[in-house]
Amino acid sequence: MTAILFALAVVALVVYGLERNHRRQPHLGSRLAGGTDTEDRDLPRVTADLRAVAAHSTARHRGAAPRRPVGAVRSIHPARSA
């Protein structure tokens, strides 16, 4: 019984402290945290990265010899046991 009363007293004090702190903060939820006048540079950066990767991969493969199919094998050597 004492433990329950002690727990209720602690919870009541925590709630009281949080409410008191919340009341003392002027206009706490009326505006966004941070500014809204910043420029979002993620989309231009990702677009530039994708263009650079595409240009790099096409330039590298222009003069390259045609690739063999993935399943093609030149030769098979039997495994050696030591």
Side-chain angles (χ1 to χ4, degrees):
M1 182 72 172
T2 306
I4 293 173
L5 290 175
F6 181 72
L8 287 175
V10 168
V11 169
L13 287 174
V14 168
V15 169
Y16 170 73
L18 289 173
E19 283 296 320
R20 181 171 180 236
N21 188 35
H22 182 70
R23 263 187 265 119
R24 293 179 69 196
Q25 301 293 328
H27 311 291
L28 186 58
S30 65
R31 60 181 177 206
L32 295 175
T36 58
D37 59 344
T38 60
E39 177 188 358
D40 185 18
R41 298 179 299 191
D42 288 339
L43 183 61
R45 183 179 298 151
V46 169
T47 306
D49 287 346
L50 291 175
R51 286 183 183 153
V53 168
H56 179 71
S57 65
T58 56
R60 185 176 65 177
H61 291 299
R62 270 189 204 146
R67 292 185 171 182
R68 290 180 290 138
V70 176
V73 178
R74 286 187 182 172
S75 64
I76 299 177
H77 296 289
R80 298 180 187 176
S81 61

